[in-house]
Amino acid sequence: MPIYDRVALIGLGLIAGSMSHAMRRAGLAGEITGYARSAETRATAAEIGLVDRVCDSAAAACEGADLIVLAVPVGAMSDVAAEIAPVLKLGATVSDVGSVKKAVIEAVSPHLPETVHFIPAHPLAGTEHSGPRSGFAELFDNRWCILVPGDADRAAVERLEAFWQGLGANTEEMDAEHHDLVLAVTSHTPHLIAYTMVGVADDLRRVTDSEVIKYSAAGFRDFTRIAASDPTMWRDVFLTNKDATLEILGRFTEELFALQRAIRTGDGAHLHDYFTRTRAIRRGIIEAGQDTDAPDFGRSKISKARVE
Amino acid sequence: MPIYDRVALIGLGLIAGSMSHAMRRAGLAGEITGYARSAETRATAAEIGLVDRVCDSAAAACEGADLIVLAVPVGAMSDVAAEIAPVLKLGATVSDVGSVKKAVIEAVSPHLPETVHFIPAHPLAGTEHSGPRSGFAELFDNRWCILVPGDADRAAVERLEAFWQGLGANTEEMDAEHHDLVLAVTSHTPHLIAYTMVGVADDLRRVTDSEVIKYSAAGFRDFTRIAASDPTMWRDVFLTNKDATLEILGRFTEELFALQRAIRTGDGAHLHDYFTRTRAIRRGIIEAGQDTDAPDFGRSKISKARVE
């Protein structure tokens, strides 16, 4: 049974496309409308039937919609919100799927009328692919979707949570600032590091590309996978979660310099102590039941998606 | 049919233990002897029958051996080589499994008589586990083993390559300096970065451990897995591959600072250009057939081991 009669997807990339596939899998929406800024994306979406109706403007897609999902880069949220605000149906829910939350709230809130429920959300799922053909119904299965409801109407929040659970995700609520810090640690800074390491390897002409890949297996090769994610989305993540990312980066370089100095001066005790401490953290994770200790790392059980 | 009548394993940890299991699986050795410095490790190895005969000294294990494999931390190689040198059989092959090669050659070569073949090797396989109970026969299947034969006797080199192929690995030859640089890029520096990132997350008391893990999925969680590897082994890797690691680290921090500055100053063009370049590298890898473009990242096909 549909949870929303009409769902409008603004932006038709990996996340929105996967939401459409997953909505259809579970029958969560009566009708799905969609809009993308690029005419090419709209044409592709229409060709493959990604949504029920592709519209020529964001406002047209949102008219009469019960749920509107902003699935555009964070930097584009404000303009979209301004455009759709006048046509929003009384009591509609507006949500998003942005990787940062404080900046999205600041960009979107001022434009929305008080007659709608604004409930920001962030599904922790993605792949390195993008575009209207990249989505698949299983993307959110067993992943987390963090909702940042603030003081939004509880009935509307619970409806949106049920919707995300219908898409396959587990849901959790959090405040925006905490969300942005947690994601800076678990996702944004690791992504920046992966981008950097891949750039470094590319610079090293003495180590040919094929060698770097051939001998890297799951370590460096996973870095290249992360570093292939959508450039526009990640540019906006770093520009809009600036404070938390810079704070974590500052701590990261501080620690890295201490280890670098230990290598340079031959301080084996410092290195050994540090590596012993991080090993203990890993043990704690396994004891907490958050990961497997199996010799194959439980890789065979890893689902199709990766956190963004 | 055995490739060597008697194989001596010096050190009985993850790599040596896995070699013993894999030798038995393929019948590559007539007899397998073993020695570990720790009496507890020797007792465990004897109890579980990890090798055919556990000896009380490295020299005793090496007497009459046709292949001797030094599977101890790089920092311990020199002492072991000095101890076993007097008992080495005429025409025996001495090899190792160390993660660096220049330092191992410098530590071991001076001790060995000219009547033996010294052929350093490095199997690119491992898990975060260590100790005599951590090995398994499949560890080397479809992984690379890099041999650094220098001007060693070709018949002896080909015999050792056949042995590693019998253990399940693909083999490749390389010179020591190039090996150390390639590994600094593909393994050593990424490991140091992962250690650092896990240490940083641990320092952040505002982000509880459970949150860091819960919302990390394959990204940060893989970092914690890498950062759980054997502290002694990795201390020695960084101390003995100092030059290459510091060179790569220097380039890494240089690039990271440029990106950090772009975030601080809001230079979205710099970020977008950089992320576009690393994305192209990934595309190149897929086009070269070195990785899969499948939506599940080919994870179901990933073997049990991870590069060290």
Side-chain angles (χ1 to χ4, degrees), chain B residues 99-101 122 146 174-183:
Chain B
S99 302
V100 302
K101 297 271 67 83
H122 178 202
I146 300 176
M174 211 179 268
D175 72 52
E177 190 157 351
H178 192 69
H179 167 278
D180 288 358
L181 182 64
V182 170
L183 269 289

Side-chain angles (χ1 to χ4, degrees), chain B residues 5 50 70 94 211 228 261 289 308:
Chain B
D5 281 340
L50 185 62
L70 308 181
V94 175
E211 273 182 338
R261 188 168 178 282
E308 290 192 344

Side-chain angles (χ1 to χ4, degrees), chain B residues 24 27 69 94 111 118 127 216 231 241 249 287 289:
Chain B
R24 284 172 171 169
V69 180
V94 175
H111 298 291
F118 178 41
T127 75
S216 63
N241 197 17
L249 268 180
E287 279 158 23

Side-chain angles (χ1 to χ4, degrees), chain A residues 124 126-130 136 143-144 146 172 174 178 181-182 185-186 189-190 192-193 195-204 206-207 210-225 227-232 234-235 238-239 242 245-249 251-253 255-257 259-260 262-269 271-272 274-279 281-282 285-286 290-291 293-297 299 302-307, chain B residues 124 126-130 136 143-144 146 172 174 178 181-182 184-186 189-190 192-193 195-204 206-207 211-225 227-232 234-235 238-239 242 245-253 255-257 259-260 262-269 271-272 274-279 281-282 285-286 290-291 293-297 299 302-307:
Chain A
L124 306 188
T127 75
E128 77 272 33
H129 302 294
S130 49
F136 51 99
R143 310 312 297 252
W144 288 97
I146 300 177
E172 190 81 63
M174 212 179 268
H178 192 69
L181 181 64
V182 170
V185 174
T186 57
T189 307
L192 195 72
I193 289 166
Y195 274 119
T196 307
M197 192 65 223
V198 172
V200 168
D202 187 48
D203 285 340
L204 276 172
R206 278 177 298 162
V207 178
S210 66
E211 272 182 339
V212 166
I213 299 313
K214 185 171 174 183
Y215 300 121
S216 64
F220 181 76
R221 202 175 298 183
D222 274 349
F223 278 28
T224 71
R225 190 175 287 132
S229 304
D230 184 54
T232 303
W234 281 99
R235 177 198 65 194
F238 294 118
L239 293 181
K242 183 188 288 201
T245 304
L246 289 177
E247 180 187 336
I248 304 303
L249 268 180
R251 288 166 179 267
F252 175 82
T253 49
E255 301 253 8
L256 187 64
F257 282 164
L259 291 172
Q260 186 170 330
I263 293 173
R264 198 182 297 281
T265 62
D267 185 351
L271 296 172
H272 195 273
Y274 199 94
F275 301 162
T276 302
R277 181 163 74 92
T278 57
R279 174 177 245 198
I281 296 167
R282 173 74 187 162
I285 290 164
I286 292 168
Q290 296 285 356
D291 204 350
D293 197 27
D296 76 342
F297 307 141
R299 282 215 161 97
I302 290 175
S303 76
K304 292 190 175 179
R306 191 184 64 245
V307 75
Chain B
L124 306 188
T127 75
E128 78 271 33
H129 301 294
S130 49
F136 52 97
R143 311 310 299 249
W144 289 97
I146 300 176
E172 190 80 63
M174 211 179 268
H178 192 69
L181 182 64
V182 170
V185 174
T186 58
T189 307
L192 195 72
I193 289 166
Y195 274 120
T196 306
M197 192 63 223
V198 172
V200 168
D202 187 47
D203 285 341
L204 276 173
R206 277 176 299 162
V207 178
E211 273 182 338
V212 167
I213 298 314
K214 186 172 174 183
Y215 301 121
S216 63
F220 182 76
R221 202 176 298 183
D222 275 349
F223 278 29
T224 70
R225 190 176 286 133
S229 304
D230 184 54
T232 303
W234 281 99
R235 177 198 64 195
F238 295 119
L239 293 180
K242 183 187 290 199
T245 304
L246 289 177
E247 181 188 335
I248 304 303
L249 268 180
R251 288 167 178 269
F252 175 82
T253 48
E255 301 254 8
L256 188 64
F257 282 163
L259 291 172
Q260 187 170 329
I263 293 173
R264 198 182 297 280
T265 62
D267 185 351
L271 296 172
H272 195 273
Y274 199 94
F275 301 162
T276 302
R277 181 163 73 91
T278 56
R279 175 176 243 196
I281 296 167
R282 173 74 188 163
I285 290 164
I286 291 167
Q290 296 285 354
D291 204 350
D293 197 25
D296 74 342
F297 307 140
R299 283 218 160 95
I302 289 174
S303 74
K304 292 191 179 182
R306 192 184 64 244
V307 72

Side-chain angles (χ1 to χ4, degrees), chain B residues 53-78:
Chain B
R53 187 157 51 86
V54 176
C55 302
D56 288 331
S57 74
C62 294
E63 266 182 80
D66 304 282
L67 171 67
I68 295 96
V69 180
L70 308 181
V72 297
V74 176
M77 294 270 185
S78 175

Side-chain angles (χ1 to χ4, degrees), chain B residues 64-133:
Chain B
D66 304 282
L67 171 67
I68 295 96
V69 180
L70 308 181
V72 297
V74 176
M77 294 270 185
S78 175
D79 286 352
V80 170
E83 186 192 338
I84 64 171
V87 305
L88 293 174
K89 182 174 159 180
L90 187 77
T93 290
V94 175
S95 189
D96 77 307
V97 294
S99 302
V100 302
K101 297 271 67 83
K102 243 171 61 184
V104 166
I105 292 168
E106 284 164 14
V108 172
S109 290
H111 298 291
L112 298 184
E114 289 191 2
T115 52
V116 302
H117 308 292
F118 178 41
I119 309 169
H122 178 202
L124 306 188
T127 75
E128 78 271 33
H129 301 294
S130 49
R133 295 182 191 275

